[in-house]
Amino acid sequence: MAVRIVVDSASGIPEAIAAELGITVAPLHVMHEEEGASTSGLSAIELAAVYARQLERGGDDGVVALHLSKNLSSTWSAAVTASAVFPDTVRVVDTDTAGMALSAAAMAAASLARDGASLDECEEAAKKTLERSQTWLYLNHLEGLRKSGRLSTGTAVLSAALLATKPILRVNAGKLELAGKTRTQAKAFSKLTELVLERAGGKPVFAAIQHADSLEAAQSLAATLREVLPEGSTIMVEPLVDVLAVHTGAGSVGLSVVFSTDDVDNPAG
């Protein structure tokens, strides 16, 4: 495989899939301190080293880099800085998302790379996959996101007032925004299922559910989706990686879906 694919650990891509497709995962930093855990993005120096190793392995044909939204981490801007060292050979995609939507884009690009596709073709495959994806979050509380600065105080106050303690958020244009007004887990999952079905339009989807110490809840959502999604759909259940779970908190469930069509502006989502 000449073109190499790089993601950061916020993608949550399973190790077995990364190994099978030759995808390199650059780990973001999780720091454990007395006042609690925090996270830190990758530096330009760290990423330049990652890209250099992959270019060496791929014969300098190029790297497609897929990182956490620039609105949620400093990693993307560091990646852009690092890519300047390798003009035209490292393509940093502005993903505007997080979680396993990144994994899906990486898998699409890596599958083409394995078949000998060009750098342009691999980059385009990643972008098209991202355009057809959507990510939602079901949370037990908003405090972690608010403290980290990844959710505005205004949004936190509004959601607390409207949604009690268990909001649904979605990643839209790289930022977190309210997506529903439910008060219980059952109603939240029903709402999520409704949103996915509406966007799917009767066509198969790829759905990845991630959870933070909430396997039973994630399996419940997966079972519901399996009952109603069109034939040919794929559903995965994976743990939410630490670098995201630090901010979303225990009991949170993420849902990333890649649709067969690119109706990314659906206001219902």
Side-chain angles (χ1 to χ4, degrees), residues 2 15 68-69 107 122 130 159 202 204 212 234 267:
E15 289 184 11
L68 183 62
S69 166
M107 288 186 278
C122 294
L130 291 167
S159 57
T234 300

Side-chain angles (χ1 to χ4, degrees), residues 214-237:
S214 49
L215 177 58
E216 185 176 346
Q219 290 176 332
S220 172
L221 177 57
T224 300
L225 290 174
R226 288 190 182 100
E227 288 179 1
V228 299
L229 284 176
E231 184 177 352
S233 296
T234 300
I235 300 172
M236 297 174 60
V237 176

Side-chain angles (χ1 to χ4, degrees), residues 23 31 49 68 79 104 108 115 149 172 183 187 210 231:
I23 297 169
M31 289 81 68
L68 183 62
D115 292 337
N172 184 38
R183 293 180 177 273
K187 289 182 179 179
Q210 294 174 277
E231 184 177 352

